[in-house]
Amino acid sequence: MIGYYFKLALHNAGRNKLITALMVLAVAVGIGASMTTLTVTHLLSGDPLPGKSDRIFYPQVDVDPGSKGREPHDVLDYRTAHDLWSAGQADRQTLVVVNPVKLRADHAGSVPLMGSSISTTADFFAMFDVPFRFGRAWTADDDQRRGRVAVISARLNERLFDGRDSVGQTLRIKDTPVRIIGVLDPWRPSPLFYKIRGGRFSGGETSSFYAVADDIFLPMSTSLDINEGDFQPFTCWAVPDNPGVLQNAPCVAVGVWVELGTPEKVASYGRYLSNYAAEQQRLGRIRHADNTRLRSLMEWLDFNQVVPSDVKVQAVLSFAFLLVCLANVVGLLLARFMRHGGEIGLRRALGASRRSVFTQCLVEAGVIGVAGGIGGLLLTVLGLWVIRSQPVPYADLIHLDVTMFMATFGLSLLASLLAGAIPAYRASSIQPVAQLKLL
């Protein structure tokens, strides 16, 4: 019977081409608008480390002596961060500081340029599954002996060395030579979780978390030597004696990430964090020993509200627009079914059940939904292309993946069936006698 209902739906669509076209257009425009914004939201709120994010945690300690015991700062002072890192209480742990650097390749004709630098430790690459094209990461030994080594991004390698294997080449960072030991494959976690801080206070600037990844990665110990005086603190509670110097500064600037493989290790690290804060309180360095946090990676992203607020507003508005489109489809379907009330009454008089009529009308609405889904898919692709052409940091991340491709058709079919339910019910409730009198 479904095959018969399908043929009947196609026949009725051909009989009322204008109404059919209007319904398909309404579904397509509503689906295109909603799926465009839904796709953007889906991509920007995704898991940057699929399969591993539940093992990555971000510890926080309230180190500000002037704190009122509310949320700790998003980053730590150098001493606290170094204490947590050197204690080795996690499976892996790494420090992260973001700072711009002036660099150039150590060969003839090279010109200086400004790049984005990450000062970190050896576990960074293994913790975050960073892919390498050439070479390798540095070792814990390099961290300890302040090795003059660096890992560079694929983008910087293309810019300085035309994409060739540059392992063994020399970079000059503030006139200090460092040897390249690794070149990354293109790597662009979305968002750049390891540098997220202050997102909920950024006044809508969270889109910067989707900018391109950093150019150069340096051992923290090496960076402290080379970039002394150039570090930019997140915030300070007193005027530092040596601005731009991390050690002993009354400022926070360093993030700490830890990898904890089991729930037992998470609980154990939480206890360690509390004990450490209590010890520092006894030493008089901090005031609120009970104000510590240990959030998972996804909890940290949620806490910082990393999806840009304008994207959220657009998603809400687009789904409101979809509801308006569906309301129009309901009216058009109702007019269409009532127009064929005589035929429906005749079918009922010949023995068709209300259920059969209801199913036939839903199949007809489903056909409209599939056609609208195809149109909505084309409009979604067009909408994503428009977004990719906009001057926003996340533009090049936008694409239609398989999940959103299937969701487009699923949503269009569901929307059309929901829109068709009321008209189908009305049509199936037609009294045969009343309609046959009009024939």
Side-chain angles (χ1 to χ4, degrees), residues 27-159:
V27 172
V29 171
I31 293 298
S34 58
M35 288 308 301
T36 297
T37 56
L38 184 61
T39 299
V40 173
T41 304
H42 165 72
L43 292 172
L44 297 188
S45 61
D47 186 346
L49 289 179
K52 194 173 187 179
S53 59
D54 60 337
R55 305 200 303 272
I56 305 299
F57 292 82
Y58 191 75
Q60 294 170 268
V61 178
D62 190 353
V63 296
D64 187 346
S67 167
K68 301 187 185 306
R70 293 191 288 267
E71 277 291 335
H73 290 304
D74 286 5
V75 282
L76 300 170
D77 64 302
Y78 178 79
R79 176 179 170 181
T80 302
H82 189 271
D83 286 347
L84 298 184
W85 171 72
S86 59
Q89 295 293 312
D91 297 332
R92 293 188 178 104
Q93 48 270 309
T94 192
L95 306 176
V96 177
V97 178
V98 181
N99 60 288
V101 294
K102 183 179 180 181
L103 59 91
R104 66 180 177 86
D106 195 17
H107 58 68
S110 176
V111 296
L113 56 91
M114 292 300 297
S116 176
S117 168
I118 293 295
S119 304
T120 185
T121 55
D123 280 350
F124 179 95
F125 303 96
M127 277 181 66
F128 300 148
D129 292 334
V130 183
F132 278 79
R133 175 175 293 177
F134 306 117
R136 58 173 179 82
W138 66 80
T139 65
D141 236 9
D142 294 314
D143 282 326
Q144 296 298 329
R145 63 182 179 83
R146 312 176 95 81
R148 297 295 193 259
V149 294
V151 170
I152 65 173
S153 68
R155 184 179 63 151
L156 185 62
N157 188 58
E158 186 70 35
R159 188 172 180 181

Side-chain angles (χ1 to χ4, degrees), residues 2-320:
I2 296 296
Y4 169 71
Y5 294 152
F6 180 72
K7 291 181 181 178
L8 193 60
L10 293 178
H11 174 71
N12 289 337
R15 292 171 59 189
N16 303 277
K17 294 179 181 179
L18 179 59
I19 293 180
T20 300
L22 288 174
M23 289 189 290
V24 170
L25 180 62
V27 172
V29 171
I31 293 298
S34 58
M35 288 308 301
T36 297
T37 56
L38 184 61
T39 299
V40 173
T41 304
H42 165 72
L43 292 172
L44 297 188
S45 61
D47 186 346
L49 289 179
K52 194 173 187 179
S53 59
D54 60 337
R55 305 200 303 272
I56 305 299
F57 292 82
Y58 191 75
Q60 294 170 268
V61 178
D62 190 353
V63 296
D64 187 346
S67 167
K68 301 187 185 306
R70 293 191 288 267
E71 277 291 335
H73 290 304
D74 286 5
V75 282
L76 300 170
D77 64 302
Y78 178 79
R79 176 179 170 181
T80 302
H82 189 271
D83 286 347
L84 298 184
W85 171 72
S86 59
Q89 295 293 312
D91 297 332
R92 293 188 178 104
Q93 48 270 309
T94 192
L95 306 176
V96 177
V97 178
V98 181
N99 60 288
V101 294
K102 183 179 180 181
L103 59 91
R104 66 180 177 86
D106 195 17
H107 58 68
S110 176
V111 296
L113 56 91
M114 292 300 297
S116 176
S117 168
I118 293 295
S119 304
T120 185
T121 55
D123 280 350
F124 179 95
F125 303 96
M127 277 181 66
F128 300 148
D129 292 334
V130 183
F132 278 79
R133 175 175 293 177
F134 306 117
R136 58 173 179 82
W138 66 80
T139 65
D141 236 9
D142 294 314
D143 282 326
Q144 296 298 329
R145 63 182 179 83
R146 312 176 95 81
R148 297 295 193 259
V149 294
V151 170
I152 65 173
S153 68
R155 184 179 63 151
L156 185 62
N157 188 58
E158 186 70 35
R159 188 172 180 181
L160 296 181
F161 303 102
D162 297 323
R164 301 187 304 272
D165 183 354
S166 58
V167 172
Q169 297 290 328
T170 300
L171 287 179
R172 287 195 170 270
I173 300 176
K174 290 182 62 179
D175 294 325
T176 300
V178 297
R179 182 170 55 90
I180 299 173
I181 62 170
V183 178
L184 302 185
D185 258 336
W187 184 59
R188 178 84 175 278
S190 174
L192 295 176
F193 61 91
Y194 58 85
K195 37 194 308 191
I196 285 176
R197 59 203 61 180
R200 62 204 177 281
F201 303 125
S202 62
E205 296 303 319
T206 53
S207 60
S208 62
F209 299 149
Y210 301 90
V212 294
D214 299 276
D215 296 310
I216 184 166
F217 299 78
L218 293 169
M220 177 68 76
S221 55
T222 302
S223 187
L224 290 174
D225 293 340
I226 296 176
N227 297 308
E228 184 177 15
D230 289 344
F231 290 100
Q232 301 172 352
F234 181 74
T235 191
C236 298
W237 53 85
V239 178
D241 295 330
N242 299 299
V245 177
L246 285 180
Q247 300 97 316
N248 301 316
C251 307
V252 291
V254 187
V256 178
W257 290 92
V258 298
E259 181 177 346
L260 303 166
T262 65
E264 293 75 21
K265 290 180 179 179
V266 176
S268 176
Y269 196 89
R271 290 191 295 271
Y272 160 71
L273 206 60
S274 298
N275 293 336
Y276 172 80
E279 178 188 7
Q280 295 304 306
Q281 185 181 47
R282 287 193 296 271
L283 294 174
R285 200 166 71 86
I286 65 175
R287 293 180 57 188
H288 302 283
D290 58 343
N291 197 19
T292 62
R293 303 287 189 276
L294 185 62
R295 292 183 170 97
S296 70
L297 170 55
M298 297 307 293
E299 290 172 341
W300 181 241
L301 298 185
D302 290 340
F303 176 69
N304 277 278
Q305 302 169 10
V306 297
V307 179
S309 57
D310 58 334
V311 172
K312 293 181 180 179
V313 172
Q314 290 168 13
V316 172
L317 293 177
S318 66
F319 275 92

